[in-house]
Amino acid sequence: MMQNNLLMVDPPLQQRPAFKDALKFWFKLGWISFGGTAGHIALMHDFLVDKKQWISNSRFFHALSICMLLPGPEAQQLAIYIGQQLHGKKGGLAAGILFVLPSMFILLALSILYVSLGNLPWIYAMFNGLKPAVIAIIIIALFKVGQKSLTGTASYLVAAMAFVCIFFFNIPLLIIIIGTILLALLIRIVKPTLLHGDKESEASQSANERAYFINSYSAPTESGITAKHVIRQLLVFLFFWLVPFSCFYFIAHDFSFWQRLILFFTQTAFFTIGGSYTVLPYVAQFAVGKLNWLSKLQMVDGFALAETTPGPLIIVVGFVGFMASFNHFHASVAMGSIALIVTVYYTFLPCFLYIFVGGPLIEKSHGSEAISGILKLVTAAVVGVILNLTLFLGKGVIFRDNVSLQHINFVSLGWIIISLFLLTKLKLNVIYLILLSLLAGLLRYWGGI
């Protein structure tokens, strides 16, 4: 009740962005979101929170923390949620579809080239030139995210613990998140004041909430989770799931193949939790070892192709579907292309269900002091995970083989430093940096550097 009164008396200073402006951003994000989860969070936070002030820092990380608990790519789910908060269902659909559509088309083109021409070293070289720039983008994001989300001693300790767990002991992300929640519950019982963080920092953030369109005092966009709401969303999901499935049943000559493909990737989307690095070994194990859809070498090449595209790394499942159909239907590029689109469709479709059903719960939980305190520590753990991703990706870019002074790739290291300078000092647009890096990678290939 108090929140509604505050909302009426003191509305947000920021106006709702026009749908065309949001559409423009989601479209651009789909083409430039390199760097996996860390890169996606970086780009969205930089634009939506820092530049446009469409959503506040607290709401952004609250939603991200919950998305981390769901199966599927958390960055896409976060985009769907923010899109829905801005412009309802059409905003959520636009954000979620455009997040993955460009990478699907790029991967489709690369898959066709792969089976037509074999390995393409010049393409790999172009995107190798891009990787140092992506590391620079992630480093900047890590600094910004840490600066805004680590607000007390407890959050710093949790971030450090999460980093140690995943970096040194390779503990899965899901276990880290569950452990963080249990720790937060214990702290809440023993000493709840530790969950509040630094009072001055929190007071400053609270005072700035009104500057954002979506903030801590925003009125819920949905009335809440009801049985009618859940059933309606489930029926819509089943409709979109069954229509393509039924088409294959009535039209396809080999329905059993399409049935296995659709059921496998639907199962993957629903039951694999913990991010791409948890999902992909599972997919590789079954697709290569049990279903014999593609060879181990082709799976490795698929990882390489997926890393050269924007969007989530899990998009590699599209290549798996392409090769499964290509091999099954006697080297048919057309059937492989259809399978790639079908695979991506069924892998990412459940993300919309999670957010459209659970969106009201995310909003309601933001008003709970207990849940917000717990999720602050989850956010801190996410910072530790992003630090691990930064080092994991950076190690592969800076060092050629082993981590030693003798194996430093000075060209890549130099481009990381140049990219940091261009982004921080000269405020170069990320799109221009990406294009410049792709060109630099191609020139390095031609020059044999």
Side-chain angles (χ1 to χ4, degrees):
M1 189 73 179
M2 184 180 293
Q3 286 188 355
N4 290 337
N5 290 337
L6 283 169
L7 184 68
M8 292 192 308
V9 174
D10 193 10
L13 301 176
Q14 185 68 247
Q15 296 297 312
R16 183 192 302 273
F19 180 63
K20 64 177 183 180
D21 292 334
L23 201 62
K24 183 179 178 182
F25 168 71
W26 299 125
F27 178 77
K28 182 175 75 171
L29 178 68
W31 292 99
I32 66 172
S33 56
F34 295 92
T37 300
H40 306 156
I41 294 170
L43 291 169
M44 283 195 285
H45 188 275
D46 180 61
F47 187 88
L48 298 171
V49 179
D50 292 337
K51 290 182 179 177
K52 293 296 184 179
Q53 296 186 315
W54 289 352
I55 181 170
S56 70
N57 192 67
S58 64
R59 289 293 296 269
F60 182 92
F61 284 111
H62 181 91
L64 175 62
S65 298
I66 292 181
C67 290
M68 284 281 185
L69 303 175
L70 301 174
E74 55 274 3
Q76 189 206 20
Q77 292 161 352
L78 178 62
I80 295 170
Y81 173 74
I82 295 174
Q84 182 188 34
Q85 292 295 299
L86 291 172
H87 299 105
K89 290 288 191 300
K90 69 176 182 180
L93 287 169
I97 292 171
L98 291 176
F99 187 89
V100 74
L101 206 60
S103 58
M104 185 191 76
F105 284 124
I106 293 172
L107 186 61
L108 176 59
L110 292 176
S111 299
I112 294 172
L113 289 172
Y114 175 82
V115 297
S116 303
L117 305 174
N119 287 323
L120 303 171
W122 63 272
I123 289 181
Y124 291 133
M126 282 178 62
F127 287 98
N128 279 335
L130 176 62
K131 288 177 182 178
V134 171
I135 298 302
I137 293 170
I138 294 174
I139 289 172
I140 293 171
L142 178 65
F143 178 77
K144 288 183 177 179
V145 168
Q147 195 176 39
K148 292 190 176 183
S149 58
L150 303 181
T151 58
T153 304
S155 62
Y156 278 100
L157 287 174
V158 167
M161 289 167 59
F163 171 75
V164 169
C165 286
I166 197 167
F167 185 82
F168 292 102
F169 301 103
N170 201 29
I171 295 175
L173 173 62
L174 180 62
I175 302 300
I176 292 173
I177 298 298
I178 293 174
T180 302
I181 293 172
L182 293 176
L183 176 63
L185 290 173
L186 179 63
I187 291 174
R188 181 165 177 78
I189 294 171
V190 177
K191 195 172 183 180
T193 54
L194 287 176
L195 295 177
H196 297 157
D198 180 66
K199 291 185 178 181
E200 290 186 9
S201 177
E202 290 192 347
S204 175
Q205 288 189 21
S206 179
N208 292 330
E209 283 289 316
R210 295 288 181 191
Y212 300 87
F213 175 72
I214 303 171
N215 58 58
S216 294
Y217 309 105
S218 298
T221 57
E222 301 278 354
S223 56
I225 292 183
T226 62
K228 183 179 178 181
H229 169 80
V230 173
I231 292 170
R232 184 171 64 247
Q233 296 303 326
L234 285 172
L235 289 174
V236 171
F237 170 81
L238 285 173
F239 173 80
F240 282 103
W241 191 93
L242 285 170
V243 167
F245 188 81
S246 302
C247 289
F248 283 111
Y249 179 79
F250 289 109
I251 297 173
H253 296 295
D254 190 352
F255 174 68
S256 61
F257 169 80
W258 297 104
Q259 182 182 32
R260 283 196 305 272
L261 189 81
I262 291 170
L263 291 178
F264 174 71
F265 285 109
T266 298
Q267 172 191 314
T268 299
F270 270 108
F271 299 112
T272 47
I273 304 175
S276 299
Y277 293 101
T278 301
V279 177
L280 294 180
Y282 169 80
V283 171
Q285 178 187 357
F286 275 83
V288 176
K290 296 190 177 182
L291 298 171
N292 297 312
W293 280 345
L294 70 170
S295 69
K296 187 179 291 185
L297 180 61
Q298 288 172 338
M299 190 71 210
V300 173
D301 288 339
F303 282 119
L305 288 176
E307 286 184 343
T308 64
T309 65
L313 183 58
I314 193 63
I315 196 69
V316 72
V317 298
F319 178 80
V320 174
F322 180 94
M323 292 307 303
S325 184
F326 179 83
N327 292 330
H328 183 81
F329 291 104
H330 312 292
S332 171
V333 172
M335 299 304 285
S337 301
I338 293 171
L340 184 146
I341 294 169
V342 169
T343 300
V344 172
Y345 178 83
Y346 279 101
T347 300
F348 291 93
L349 182 64
C351 292
F352 295 92
L353 175 67
Y354 298 139
I355 300 303
F356 288 160
V357 168
L361 184 62
I362 296 176
E363 294 179 58
K364 186 177 181 180
S365 67
H366 190 271
S368 167
E369 183 178 340
I371 294 175
S372 294
I374 291 169
L375 289 179
K376 281 178 184 176
L377 288 194
V378 174
T379 300
V382 170
V383 174
V385 171
I386 294 175
L387 175 59
N388 171 70
L389 283 172
T390 305
L391 294 178
F392 176 78
L393 296 171
K395 181 177 67 175
V397 172
I398 296 174
F399 299 96
R400 287 189 173 89
D401 296 306
N402 300 322
V403 180
S404 64
L405 292 175
Q406 290 79 11
H407 293 91
I408 292 178
N409 188 331
F410 288 100
V411 175
S412 295
L413 179 60
W415 194 252
I416 291 175
I417 295 170
I418 291 171
S419 298
L420 287 170
F421 176 78
L422 292 174
L423 290 171
T424 57
K425 299 298 181 181
L426 300 186
K427 307 297 182 184
L428 182 70
N429 190 293
V430 171
I431 296 177
Y432 295 139
L433 178 63
I434 288 173
L435 294 175
L436 192 62
S437 300
L438 291 171
L439 178 60
L442 192 58
L443 292 175
R444 281 179 61 185
Y445 173 71
W446 285 338
I449 302 174

